[in-house]
Amino acid sequence: MKKIRMGAVAAIAGVAVAMTGCAGSGGASGSGDDGTIVVDMWAGSADDTKALEAQIKIAQEQNPDLKIELRTAPWGDFFTKLTTNMASGNMACVTGMNSGMLSSYTDGFAELSAADLKTAGLAESDFAPGATEILKNKGTMYGLPFDVATMLVYFNADQLAASGAATPAPGWTFDDFEATAKAATSNGKAGFAVGMGDFQWQALPIAKAGLQPVSADGELQLTDKKFVEAATWYGDLVSAQKVALPVASASDTGWGENQYSSGNAAMAVDGTWNAVSYLANESGFAAGMAPLPSEGGESLSLILGSGFGISKTCENKEDALKVLGSLLSADAQDYIASSGRSYPARAESQPLYFESIDEKYRAQVEEVFTAAFENVQGQYVSDNWSKVGTYVQPQLVSVYNGQETMAKVLESAQQQFAN
Amino acid sequence: MTANVPRRRSLAKVEGRQALGFATPALVGLALFTIVPVVLSVVMSFFDWPTFGEKTFIGIDNYIRLFTASPDFWPAMRNTAVFTILYVPLNVGLSLVLAMALGPRIRGRGALRVLFFIPVVTPMVANVLVWKMLLQPQGLFNGASESWFGVTLPNFLADPQWAMIMVVIMSVWQGVGYNMLIFSAALEQLPESVMEAARIDGASGLRMQLSIVVPMISPAVFFATIMTMITALQVFVQPQLLTGGGPGNATQPLVQFIYNQGFKFQELGLAAAGAWILFALIIVITALQFGAQKKWVHYEH
């Protein structure tokens, strides 16, 4: 009997050890025992994954002694997965991060010092003005960006021409925007498509109000009078002015962008990261772009972007920094720029982006990008910023349908999520 | 006889040991993947437990916070209750009627059963996509209504009242085939002698169904009701994908609330407390159903 008990205990212990081993080899710290550096990044399509693989290849060539492994998940799942990985101490050494999401994940990232940047072979001066602010939170740097972005108004030039609406151009005002949206609302098509994503719906209210819904020191200010007025105006585009279609469901997170892409709406707001795909859209319409309109001669826009940071739990920080450095090296950035995927964060690589654009659009893109990045401000976020987004998004549907006021939604979010 | 007893005992002992040996891997799995997480989640519900960072013991504060300070908790409870109250009777009733209607006299009933069962095995994401295309303002229903009758239908998934009704209708459509199959199997097993006796006594038509057939298959109805009730209380995918829990929080059920607290707001302690409240609800309702079964479920002894 004793023997059997011992046997059972040994069996249980064996299984337990084996299971612990399994968990460990999954890369408890994102760097396996064989020194593999794991890079975790979002990728929503085969094209995204292919582009990331090309960058990993560059990093691999620059660090032949290291083994680099890429892991991906779609944008929506990436942050859920990241939360789980962080909670279980399983975060990849080099992890992708976005400016709007950083505040919820600072605990998982190692602070990057000047010495770290040196190890990575990078300098702040390599990047475009303002770019190193993208992955900073309350003055601490948690990562460096591979791209910079801002929000633009994209338009269906064919639809605008057919309805006789004026074409948006740099320097246009909110009055011009309204006039264009009204004129383009005809024949069952809407002049504008409202956004559901944080950046997509907030861009115009921020530009109109001239301020962000969070103060520079990280305090939530959703109930600021100017912002409430501008946001109310935005909701009224659907419910009062009727120049935009009401959203079909709160689960339609990419509503505005989809309406625009499928040719149901003449204008939509989206990031510069989608410029190329909109220009070469599958619906086949002639697309154009313009910076956000201005109010009283001023227009505020956010500088956004995504990049990579090093996880706090990474065992091979030095190797991880080298990989980070390679992923943001001139070669990798030139690749991003010349493939037209996004506007690179490295200043020297930025001209290559315009060269990648189809010649007939090149001048327009360069003019609009130059104008749009002229008056940008780093995004301010509060500690609970991602909760605000999660709360507000399903409420927006009620606002657009006229069942709830924007002021009430913003007030409720302010009450719940103010620091 | 007396010599056989010790031998039997020792045989039983050996067999018992062998059985333990075979059961050990399963028991280890049960301990690691069921008992440990369950215990951990109880512990978690008494802590302020962020996904990362300092964990603090706060007693029953999470439970108090849910009931008194969380703006979405009571609406989530209400939504779960509304969904369950609408979904369970509709699902059980409709599947029972379907199973009875597809009786032996119906031609091609096998094919019809397959048709009704298809939504059960189709991935939910695909089902939801189809329903979204039907229900949105530019969708099939509104398009047909506008062109045939000139009537514009409501924006079903964005209207607080309609959204929940549509989640229920879509769920019933999706789940009705499963219970129908259970009832069909029970109907096939009805003892011919009892049916014959009932017929001789003059029972037929609706009377036959209500007084003879339904009581005879009441154990199957009971089983289906219990299981459907539990799945209804745990509803998540349909509102998550069809309405995103919105508009506002009009269709956010308890499980989606728990999911948001845990994975979006990173408050695992609060999520665990919510999960235990849901567990308690399910246990209480199931126990009540078991208590009530004596009055209406007839077992053949």
Side-chain angles (χ1 to χ4, degrees), chain A residues 4 15 19 83 86-87 104-105 107 245 247-252 387 390 394 397-398 401 403 416, chain B residues 17 32-33 51-52 71 132 138 155 157-160 241-244 247-248 264-267:
Chain A
I4 293 231
V15 172
M19 284 178 158
T83 303
M86 272 172 75
S104 304
Y105 296 94
D107 285 346
L245 293 167
V247 177
S249 159
S251 62
D252 288 325
K387 294 184 190 181
T390 305
V397 181
S398 304
N401 280 282
Q403 286 147 347
Q416 285 180 60
Chain B
R17 285 169 192 167
L32 274 177
F33 299 113
T51 28
F52 22 86
K132 264 181 120 168
Q138 295 84 26
N155 190 352
L157 300 177
D159 186 287
L241 295 175
L242 199 61
T243 60
K264 291 198 165 167
F265 294 0
Q266 297 165 359
E267 300 212 34

mmCIF file of all heavy atoms in Angstrom, chain A residues 4 15 19 83 86-87 104-105 107 245 247-252 387 390 394 397-398 401 403 416, chain B residues 17 32-33 51-52 71 132 138 155 157-160 241-244 247-248 264-267:
data_model
loop_
_atom_site.group_PDB
_atom_site.id
_atom_site.type_symbol
_atom_site.label_atom_id
_atom_site.label_comp_id
_atom_site.label_asym_id
_atom_site.label_seq_id
_atom_site.Cartn_x
_atom_site.Cartn_y
_atom_site.Cartn_z
ATOM 1 N N ILE A 4 2.366 1.865 -3.290
ATOM 2 C CA ILE A 4 1.416 2.435 -4.251
ATOM 3 C C ILE A 4 1.223 3.916 -3.991
ATOM 4 O O ILE A 4 1.204 4.738 -4.902
ATOM 5 C CB ILE A 4 0.085 1.678 -4.160
ATOM 6 C CG1 ILE A 4 0.330 0.273 -4.645
ATOM 7 C CG2 ILE A 4 -1.016 2.413 -4.904
ATOM 8 C CD1 ILE A 4 -0.575 -0.251 -5.671
ATOM 9 N N VAL A 15 3.763 14.528 -13.287
ATOM 10 C CA VAL A 15 2.856 15.243 -14.196
ATOM 11 C C VAL A 15 2.936 16.747 -13.940
ATOM 12 O O VAL A 15 3.016 17.559 -14.868
ATOM 13 C CB VAL A 15 1.403 14.741 -14.031
ATOM 14 C CG1 VAL A 15 0.437 15.603 -14.824
ATOM 15 C CG2 VAL A 15 1.302 13.294 -14.491
ATOM 16 N N MET A 19 4.088 19.568 -16.482
ATOM 17 C CA MET A 19 3.217 20.680 -16.877
ATOM 18 C C MET A 19 3.884 22.021 -16.625
ATOM 19 O O MET A 19 3.776 22.948 -17.415
ATOM 20 C CB MET A 19 1.899 20.599 -16.119
ATOM 21 C CG MET A 19 1.042 19.512 -16.712
ATOM 22 S SD MET A 19 -0.472 19.328 -15.858
ATOM 23 C CE MET A 19 -1.434 18.532 -17.112
ATOM 24 N N THR A 83 -2.928 41.287 -22.136
ATOM 25 C CA THR A 83 -3.356 41.332 -20.734
ATOM 26 C C THR A 83 -3.110 39.983 -20.074
ATOM 27 O O THR A 83 -2.550 39.906 -18.970
ATOM 28 C CB THR A 83 -4.864 41.668 -20.664
ATOM 29 O OG1 THR A 83 -5.077 42.893 -21.328
ATOM 30 C CG2 THR A 83 -5.342 41.785 -19.234
ATOM 31 N N MET A 86 0.618 39.290 -19.720
ATOM 32 C CA MET A 86 1.228 40.084 -18.648
ATOM 33 C C MET A 86 0.872 39.509 -17.291
ATOM 34 O O MET A 86 1.712 39.402 -16.395
ATOM 35 C CB MET A 86 0.755 41.539 -18.740
ATOM 36 C CG MET A 86 1.617 42.373 -19.649
ATOM 37 S SD MET A 86 0.904 43.992 -19.919
ATOM 38 C CE MET A 86 1.247 44.775 -18.387
ATOM 39 N N ALA A 87 -0.403 39.108 -17.149
ATOM 40 C CA ALA A 87 -0.851 38.569 -15.868
ATOM 41 C C ALA A 87 -0.107 37.280 -15.531
ATOM 42 O O ALA A 87 0.148 36.983 -14.371
ATOM 43 C CB ALA A 87 -2.350 38.316 -15.907
ATOM 44 N N SER A 104 -2.612 51.734 -20.104
ATOM 45 C CA SER A 104 -3.105 50.561 -19.381
ATOM 46 C C SER A 104 -2.036 49.489 -19.229
ATOM 47 O O SER A 104 -2.245 48.518 -18.517
ATOM 48 C CB SER A 104 -4.292 49.952 -20.123
ATOM 49 O OG SER A 104 -5.287 50.897 -20.303
ATOM 50 N N TYR A 105 -0.945 49.641 -19.931
ATOM 51 C CA TYR A 105 0.036 48.544 -19.959
ATOM 52 C C TYR A 105 1.426 48.959 -19.488
ATOM 53 O O TYR A 105 2.381 48.203 -19.658
ATOM 54 C CB TYR A 105 0.115 47.962 -21.379
ATOM 55 C CG TYR A 105 -1.193 47.336 -21.802
ATOM 56 C CD1 TYR A 105 -2.138 48.055 -22.529
ATOM 57 C CD2 TYR A 105 -1.512 46.031 -21.439
ATOM 58 C CE1 TYR A 105 -3.350 47.493 -22.888
ATOM 59 C CE2 TYR A 105 -2.722 45.456 -21.794
ATOM 60 C CZ TYR A 105 -3.640 46.202 -22.514
ATOM 61 O OH TYR A 105 -4.843 45.638 -22.864
ATOM 62 N N ASP A 107 2.715 49.002 -16.680
ATOM 63 C CA ASP A 107 3.292 48.095 -15.681
ATOM 64 C C ASP A 107 4.073 46.947 -16.305
ATOM 65 O O ASP A 107 4.928 46.355 -15.656
ATOM 66 C CB ASP A 107 2.172 47.488 -14.814
ATOM 67 C CG ASP A 107 1.645 48.492 -13.826
ATOM 68 O OD1 ASP A 107 2.310 49.529 -13.646
ATOM 69 O OD2 ASP A 107 0.575 48.251 -13.242
ATOM 70 N N LEU A 245 -25.349 58.372 -41.804
ATOM 71 C CA LEU A 245 -26.292 57.294 -41.482
ATOM 72 C C LEU A 245 -26.120 56.869 -40.019
ATOM 73 O O LEU A 245 -24.998 56.856 -39.515
ATOM 74 C CB LEU A 245 -26.013 56.081 -42.371
ATOM 75 C CG LEU A 245 -26.294 56.265 -43.851
ATOM 76 C CD1 LEU A 245 -25.685 55.116 -44.635
ATOM 77 C CD2 LEU A 245 -27.798 56.334 -44.085
ATOM 78 N N VAL A 247 -25.620 54.372 -36.950
ATOM 79 C CA VAL A 247 -24.828 53.139 -36.883
ATOM 80 C C VAL A 247 -25.768 51.956 -36.647
ATOM 81 O O VAL A 247 -26.732 52.058 -35.884
ATOM 82 C CB VAL A 247 -23.772 53.257 -35.756
ATOM 83 C CG1 VAL A 247 -22.981 51.971 -35.621
ATOM 84 C CG2 VAL A 247 -22.847 54.424 -36.049
ATOM 85 N N ALA A 248 -25.474 50.826 -37.309
ATOM 86 C CA ALA A 248 -26.391 49.684 -37.245
ATOM 87 C C ALA A 248 -26.295 48.917 -35.932
ATOM 88 O O ALA A 248 -27.281 48.379 -35.448
ATOM 89 C CB ALA A 248 -26.127 48.746 -38.412
ATOM 90 N N SER A 249 -25.111 48.845 -35.359
ATOM 91 C CA SER A 249 -24.953 48.061 -34.134
ATOM 92 C C SER A 249 -23.693 48.504 -33.399
ATOM 93 O O SER A 249 -22.722 48.933 -34.027
ATOM 94 C CB SER A 249 -24.843 46.576 -34.490
ATOM 95 O OG SER A 249 -24.227 45.858 -33.453
ATOM 96 N N ALA A 250 -23.720 48.365 -32.078
ATOM 97 C CA ALA A 250 -22.544 48.755 -31.293
ATOM 98 C C ALA A 250 -21.353 47.849 -31.574
ATOM 99 O O ALA A 250 -20.220 48.178 -31.235
ATOM 100 C CB ALA A 250 -22.877 48.717 -29.809
ATOM 101 N N SER A 251 -21.611 46.707 -32.202
ATOM 102 C CA SER A 251 -20.478 45.822 -32.520
ATOM 103 C C SER A 251 -19.803 46.213 -33.837
ATOM 104 O O SER A 251 -18.794 45.628 -34.206
ATOM 105 C CB SER A 251 -20.940 44.366 -32.581
ATOM 106 O OG SER A 251 -21.880 44.208 -33.607
ATOM 107 N N ASP A 252 -20.364 47.206 -34.531
ATOM 108 C CA ASP A 252 -19.738 47.675 -35.778
ATOM 109 C C ASP A 252 -18.640 48.676 -35.454
ATOM 110 O O ASP A 252 -18.798 49.886 -35.662
ATOM 111 C CB ASP A 252 -20.784 48.347 -36.682
ATOM 112 C CG ASP A 252 -21.723 47.347 -37.295
ATOM 113 O OD1 ASP A 252 -21.275 46.233 -37.605
ATOM 114 O OD2 ASP A 252 -22.921 47.669 -37.443
ATOM 115 N N LYS A 387 -10.573 52.290 -20.486
ATOM 116 C CA LYS A 387 -11.912 52.008 -19.956
ATOM 117 C C LYS A 387 -12.915 53.009 -20.531
ATOM 118 O O LYS A 387 -14.058 52.663 -20.810
ATOM 119 C CB LYS A 387 -11.929 52.107 -18.428
ATOM 120 C CG LYS A 387 -11.106 51.051 -17.737
ATOM 121 C CD LYS A 387 -11.261 51.169 -16.249
ATOM 122 C CE LYS A 387 -10.264 50.272 -15.550
ATOM 123 N NZ LYS A 387 -10.377 50.328 -14.098
ATOM 124 N N THR A 390 -13.913 51.816 -23.924
ATOM 125 C CA THR A 390 -14.793 50.637 -23.848
ATOM 126 C C THR A 390 -16.195 51.045 -23.433
ATOM 127 O O THR A 390 -17.182 50.503 -23.913
ATOM 128 C CB THR A 390 -14.234 49.622 -22.820
ATOM 129 O OG1 THR A 390 -12.898 49.331 -23.187
ATOM 130 C CG2 THR A 390 -15.044 48.353 -22.785
ATOM 131 N N PRO A 394 -20.231 51.646 -27.062
ATOM 132 C CA PRO A 394 -21.619 51.205 -27.240
ATOM 133 C C PRO A 394 -22.645 52.302 -26.960
ATOM 134 O O PRO A 394 -23.777 52.237 -27.442
ATOM 135 C CB PRO A 394 -21.772 50.042 -26.258
ATOM 136 C CG PRO A 394 -20.623 50.107 -25.340
ATOM 137 C CD PRO A 394 -19.544 50.889 -26.001
ATOM 138 N N VAL A 397 -23.777 54.595 -30.121
ATOM 139 C CA VAL A 397 -24.871 54.148 -30.988
ATOM 140 C C VAL A 397 -26.164 54.846 -30.589
ATOM 141 O O VAL A 397 -26.925 55.315 -31.443
ATOM 142 C CB VAL A 397 -25.044 52.616 -30.873
ATOM 143 C CG1 VAL A 397 -26.146 52.135 -31.778
ATOM 144 C CG2 VAL A 397 -23.745 51.926 -31.219
ATOM 145 N N SER A 398 -26.404 54.940 -29.274
ATOM 146 C CA SER A 398 -27.618 55.608 -28.790
ATOM 147 C C SER A 398 -27.582 57.098 -29.102
ATOM 148 O O SER A 398 -28.619 57.704 -29.386
ATOM 149 C CB SER A 398 -27.765 55.412 -27.281
ATOM 150 O OG SER A 398 -27.770 54.049 -26.968
ATOM 151 N N ASN A 401 -28.364 57.620 -32.713
ATOM 152 C CA ASN A 401 -29.774 57.342 -32.997
ATOM 153 C C ASN A 401 -30.710 58.316 -32.298
ATOM 154 O O ASN A 401 -31.930 58.156 -32.365
ATOM 155 C CB ASN A 401 -30.112 55.920 -32.576
ATOM 156 C CG ASN A 401 -29.662 54.923 -33.618
ATOM 157 O OD1 ASN A 401 -30.303 54.753 -34.635
ATOM 158 N ND2 ASN A 401 -28.526 54.301 -33.384
ATOM 159 N N GLN A 403 -31.240 58.684 -29.123
ATOM 160 C CA GLN A 403 -31.892 58.198 -27.903
ATOM 161 C C GLN A 403 -31.168 58.658 -26.641
ATOM 162 O O GLN A 403 -31.643 58.450 -25.532
ATOM 163 C CB GLN A 403 -31.954 56.660 -27.935
ATOM 164 C CG GLN A 403 -32.987 56.148 -28.912
ATOM 165 C CD GLN A 403 -32.569 54.844 -29.555
ATOM 166 O OE1 GLN A 403 -31.421 54.435 -29.457
ATOM 167 N NE2 GLN A 403 -33.489 54.202 -30.224
ATOM 168 N N GLN A 416 -17.451 58.111 -13.878
ATOM 169 C CA GLN A 416 -16.964 56.759 -13.603
ATOM 170 C C GLN A 416 -15.454 56.632 -13.665
ATOM 171 O O GLN A 416 -14.862 55.861 -12.914
ATOM 172 C CB GLN A 416 -17.551 55.781 -14.621
ATOM 173 C CG GLN A 416 -18.987 55.447 -14.398
ATOM 174 C CD GLN A 416 -19.456 54.482 -15.469
ATOM 175 O OE1 GLN A 416 -18.942 53.393 -15.608
ATOM 176 N NE2 GLN A 416 -20.430 54.900 -16.240
ATOM 177 N N ARG B 17 -6.609 -0.555 -6.263
ATOM 178 C CA ARG B 17 -5.325 0.104 -6.553
ATOM 179 C C ARG B 17 -5.151 0.322 -8.046
ATOM 180 O O ARG B 17 -4.710 1.374 -8.493
ATOM 181 C CB ARG B 17 -4.171 -0.757 -6.013
ATOM 182 C CG ARG B 17 -4.041 -0.680 -4.512
ATOM 183 C CD ARG B 17 -3.097 -1.742 -4.036
ATOM 184 N NE ARG B 17 -3.168 -1.891 -2.599
ATOM 185 C CZ ARG B 17 -2.629 -2.906 -1.945
ATOM 186 N NH1 ARG B 17 -2.009 -3.871 -2.592
ATOM 187 N NH2 ARG B 17 -2.709 -2.966 -0.632
ATOM 188 N N LEU B 32 -5.786 20.090 -11.416
ATOM 189 C CA LEU B 32 -5.050 21.227 -11.978
ATOM 190 C C LEU B 32 -5.940 22.193 -12.748
ATOM 191 O O LEU B 32 -5.768 23.398 -12.665
ATOM 192 C CB LEU B 32 -3.954 20.715 -12.911
ATOM 193 C CG LEU B 32 -2.625 20.366 -12.252
ATOM 194 C CD1 LEU B 32 -1.663 19.801 -13.293
ATOM 195 C CD2 LEU B 32 -2.000 21.595 -11.599
ATOM 196 N N PHE B 33 -6.866 21.627 -13.501
ATOM 197 C CA PHE B 33 -7.621 22.494 -14.414
ATOM 198 C C PHE B 33 -9.038 22.809 -13.934
ATOM 199 O O PHE B 33 -9.734 23.601 -14.549
ATOM 200 C CB PHE B 33 -7.663 21.868 -15.814
ATOM 201 C CG PHE B 33 -6.301 21.711 -16.400
ATOM 202 C CD1 PHE B 33 -5.750 20.452 -16.616
ATOM 203 C CD2 PHE B 33 -5.526 22.822 -16.698
ATOM 204 C CE1 PHE B 33 -4.474 20.312 -17.127
ATOM 205 C CE2 PHE B 33 -4.256 22.690 -17.213
ATOM 206 C CZ PHE B 33 -3.717 21.422 -17.430
ATOM 207 N N THR B 51 -4.637 42.700 -13.172
ATOM 208 C CA THR B 51 -3.950 41.654 -13.945
ATOM 209 C C THR B 51 -2.452 41.675 -13.685
ATOM 210 O O THR B 51 -1.792 40.674 -13.797
ATOM 211 C CB THR B 51 -4.195 41.824 -15.462
ATOM 212 O OG1 THR B 51 -4.422 43.181 -15.721
ATOM 213 C CG2 THR B 51 -5.343 41.010 -15.918
ATOM 214 N N PHE B 52 -1.943 42.858 -13.363
ATOM 215 C CA PHE B 52 -0.532 42.924 -12.991
ATOM 216 C C PHE B 52 -0.414 43.975 -11.895
ATOM 217 O O PHE B 52 -1.224 44.869 -11.801
ATOM 218 C CB PHE B 52 0.351 43.294 -14.189
ATOM 219 C CG PHE B 52 -0.372 43.987 -15.289
ATOM 220 C CD1 PHE B 52 -0.540 45.355 -15.259
ATOM 221 C CD2 PHE B 52 -0.937 43.269 -16.321
ATOM 222 C CE1 PHE B 52 -1.244 45.996 -16.259
ATOM 223 C CE2 PHE B 52 -1.643 43.905 -17.326
ATOM 224 C CZ PHE B 52 -1.798 45.272 -17.300
ATOM 225 N N PRO B 71 -22.047 50.680 -12.164
ATOM 226 C CA PRO B 71 -23.214 51.133 -12.924
ATOM 227 C C PRO B 71 -23.747 50.099 -13.916
ATOM 228 O O PRO B 71 -24.906 50.172 -14.310
ATOM 229 C CB PRO B 71 -22.706 52.376 -13.653
ATOM 230 C CG PRO B 71 -21.232 52.283 -13.620
ATOM 231 C CD PRO B 71 -20.832 51.443 -12.472
ATOM 232 N N LYS B 132 -26.779 39.865 -38.984
ATOM 233 C CA LYS B 132 -26.477 41.296 -39.065
ATOM 234 C C LYS B 132 -26.844 41.842 -40.438
ATOM 235 O O LYS B 132 -27.387 42.924 -40.569
ATOM 236 C CB LYS B 132 -24.978 41.523 -38.809
ATOM 237 C CG LYS B 132 -24.668 41.871 -37.384
ATOM 238 C CD LYS B 132 -23.210 42.096 -37.234
ATOM 239 C CE LYS B 132 -22.940 43.477 -36.764
ATOM 240 N NZ LYS B 132 -21.542 43.642 -36.349
ATOM 241 N N GLN B 138 -29.509 48.843 -43.899
ATOM 242 C CA GLN B 138 -29.310 48.592 -45.336
ATOM 243 C C GLN B 138 -29.486 47.104 -45.650
ATOM 244 O O GLN B 138 -29.134 46.641 -46.721
ATOM 245 C CB GLN B 138 -27.895 49.017 -45.770
ATOM 246 C CG GLN B 138 -27.593 50.491 -45.664
ATOM 247 C CD GLN B 138 -27.149 50.893 -44.266
ATOM 248 O OE1 GLN B 138 -26.621 50.088 -43.515
ATOM 249 N NE2 GLN B 138 -27.385 52.135 -43.899
ATOM 250 N N ASN B 155 -34.230 50.516 -36.618
ATOM 251 C CA ASN B 155 -32.820 50.106 -36.667
ATOM 252 C C ASN B 155 -32.641 49.049 -35.563
ATOM 253 O O ASN B 155 -32.231 49.341 -34.447
ATOM 254 C CB ASN B 155 -31.938 51.332 -36.425
ATOM 255 C CG ASN B 155 -30.469 51.038 -36.688
ATOM 256 O OD1 ASN B 155 -30.079 49.892 -36.903
ATOM 257 N ND2 ASN B 155 -29.660 52.080 -36.662
ATOM 258 N N LEU B 157 -30.819 46.594 -34.328
ATOM 259 C CA LEU B 157 -29.725 46.299 -33.394
ATOM 260 C C LEU B 157 -29.241 47.539 -32.655
ATOM 261 O O LEU B 157 -28.442 47.440 -31.729
ATOM 262 C CB LEU B 157 -28.557 45.645 -34.140
ATOM 263 C CG LEU B 157 -28.915 44.330 -34.825
ATOM 264 C CD1 LEU B 157 -27.724 43.798 -35.607
ATOM 265 C CD2 LEU B 157 -29.395 43.299 -33.817
ATOM 266 N N ALA B 158 -29.727 48.715 -33.070
ATOM 267 C CA ALA B 158 -29.290 49.937 -32.404
ATOM 268 C C ALA B 158 -30.386 50.534 -31.547
ATOM 269 O O ALA B 158 -30.194 51.559 -30.906
ATOM 270 C CB ALA B 158 -28.833 50.963 -33.451
ATOM 271 N N ASP B 159 -31.539 49.889 -31.503
ATOM 272 C CA ASP B 159 -32.651 50.381 -30.684
ATOM 273 C C ASP B 159 -32.694 49.564 -29.392
ATOM 274 O O ASP B 159 -32.709 48.333 -29.437
ATOM 275 C CB ASP B 159 -33.959 50.188 -31.472
ATOM 276 C CG ASP B 159 -35.144 50.797 -30.756
ATOM 277 O OD1 ASP B 159 -35.582 50.226 -29.733
ATOM 278 O OD2 ASP B 159 -35.609 51.841 -31.209
ATOM 279 N N PRO B 160 -32.681 50.243 -28.225
ATOM 280 C CA PRO B 160 -32.557 49.504 -26.958
ATOM 281 C C PRO B 160 -33.614 48.412 -26.781
ATOM 282 O O PRO B 160 -33.312 47.351 -26.246
ATOM 283 C CB PRO B 160 -32.713 50.588 -25.898
ATOM 284 C CG PRO B 160 -32.397 51.858 -26.579
ATOM 285 C CD PRO B 160 -32.742 51.684 -28.020
ATOM 286 N N LEU B 241 -21.311 39.661 -30.304
ATOM 287 C CA LEU B 241 -21.054 39.826 -31.738
ATOM 288 C C LEU B 241 -22.169 40.574 -32.457
ATOM 289 O O LEU B 241 -21.916 41.322 -33.389
ATOM 290 C CB LEU B 241 -20.857 38.459 -32.398
ATOM 291 C CG LEU B 241 -19.630 37.667 -31.935
ATOM 292 C CD1 LEU B 241 -19.633 36.300 -32.575
ATOM 293 C CD2 LEU B 241 -18.350 38.402 -32.273
ATOM 294 N N LEU B 242 -23.400 40.371 -32.019
ATOM 295 C CA LEU B 242 -24.530 40.965 -32.738
ATOM 296 C C LEU B 242 -24.725 42.436 -32.370
ATOM 297 O O LEU B 242 -24.952 43.277 -33.235
ATOM 298 C CB LEU B 242 -25.797 40.167 -32.420
ATOM 299 C CG LEU B 242 -26.985 40.296 -33.356
ATOM 300 C CD1 LEU B 242 -26.616 39.824 -34.756
ATOM 301 C CD2 LEU B 242 -28.170 39.484 -32.848
ATOM 302 N N THR B 243 -24.629 42.740 -31.100
ATOM 303 C CA THR B 243 -24.928 44.113 -30.668
ATOM 304 C C THR B 243 -23.786 44.762 -29.885
ATOM 305 O O THR B 243 -23.881 45.927 -29.524
ATOM 306 C CB THR B 243 -26.156 44.131 -29.738
ATOM 307 O OG1 THR B 243 -25.843 43.312 -28.600
ATOM 308 C CG2 THR B 243 -27.381 43.582 -30.419
ATOM 309 N N GLY B 244 -22.725 44.002 -29.617
ATOM 310 C CA GLY B 244 -21.621 44.550 -28.817
ATOM 311 C C GLY B 244 -22.067 44.920 -27.410
ATOM 312 O O GLY B 244 -21.440 45.727 -26.746
ATOM 313 N N PRO B 247 -27.252 48.863 -27.796
ATOM 314 C CA PRO B 247 -26.788 50.236 -27.564
ATOM 315 C C PRO B 247 -26.697 50.567 -26.068
ATOM 316 O O PRO B 247 -27.541 50.088 -25.319
ATOM 317 C CB PRO B 247 -27.859 51.081 -28.243
ATOM 318 C CG PRO B 247 -29.059 50.199 -28.295
ATOM 319 C CD PRO B 247 -28.561 48.803 -28.415
ATOM 320 N N GLY B 248 -25.709 51.352 -25.712
ATOM 321 C CA GLY B 248 -25.443 51.586 -24.283
ATOM 322 C C GLY B 248 -25.080 50.258 -23.653
ATOM 323 O O GLY B 248 -24.148 49.600 -24.102
ATOM 324 N N LYS B 264 -10.989 43.731 -20.184
ATOM 325 C CA LYS B 264 -10.858 45.088 -20.725
ATOM 326 C C LYS B 264 -10.504 46.074 -19.625
ATOM 327 O O LYS B 264 -9.716 46.981 -19.831
ATOM 328 C CB LYS B 264 -12.145 45.497 -21.441
ATOM 329 C CG LYS B 264 -12.347 44.706 -22.707
ATOM 330 C CD LYS B 264 -13.332 45.369 -23.634
ATOM 331 C CE LYS B 264 -13.239 44.767 -25.016
ATOM 332 N NZ LYS B 264 -14.368 45.175 -25.846
ATOM 333 N N PHE B 265 -11.136 45.913 -18.443
ATOM 334 C CA PHE B 265 -10.861 46.842 -17.345
ATOM 335 C C PHE B 265 -9.787 46.289 -16.413
ATOM 336 O O PHE B 265 -9.365 46.956 -15.488
ATOM 337 C CB PHE B 265 -12.139 47.130 -16.550
ATOM 338 C CG PHE B 265 -13.195 47.870 -17.334
ATOM 339 C CD1 PHE B 265 -12.975 48.241 -18.652
ATOM 340 C CD2 PHE B 265 -14.405 48.209 -16.754
ATOM 341 C CE1 PHE B 265 -13.942 48.917 -19.382
ATOM 342 C CE2 PHE B 265 -15.385 48.900 -17.464
ATOM 343 C CZ PHE B 265 -15.155 49.248 -18.777
ATOM 344 N N GLN B 266 -9.374 45.055 -16.645
ATOM 345 C CA GLN B 266 -8.285 44.426 -15.894
ATOM 346 C C GLN B 266 -8.537 44.375 -14.394
ATOM 347 O O GLN B 266 -7.626 44.535 -13.595
ATOM 348 C CB GLN B 266 -6.967 45.139 -16.212
ATOM 349 C CG GLN B 266 -6.619 45.000 -17.682
ATOM 350 C CD GLN B 266 -5.568 45.941 -18.161
ATOM 351 O OE1 GLN B 266 -5.078 46.753 -17.397
ATOM 352 N NE2 GLN B 266 -5.215 45.852 -19.414
ATOM 353 N N GLU B 267 -9.797 44.161 -14.006
ATOM 354 C CA GLU B 267 -10.130 44.020 -12.584
ATOM 355 C C GLU B 267 -10.562 42.577 -12.345
ATOM 356 O O GLU B 267 -11.752 42.270 -12.328
ATOM 357 C CB GLU B 267 -11.251 44.990 -12.220
ATOM 358 C CG GLU B 267 -10.853 46.422 -12.468
ATOM 359 C CD GLU B 267 -11.500 47.374 -11.477
ATOM 360 O OE1 GLU B 267 -11.691 46.996 -10.316
ATOM 361 O OE2 GLU B 267 -11.813 48.489 -11.900
#
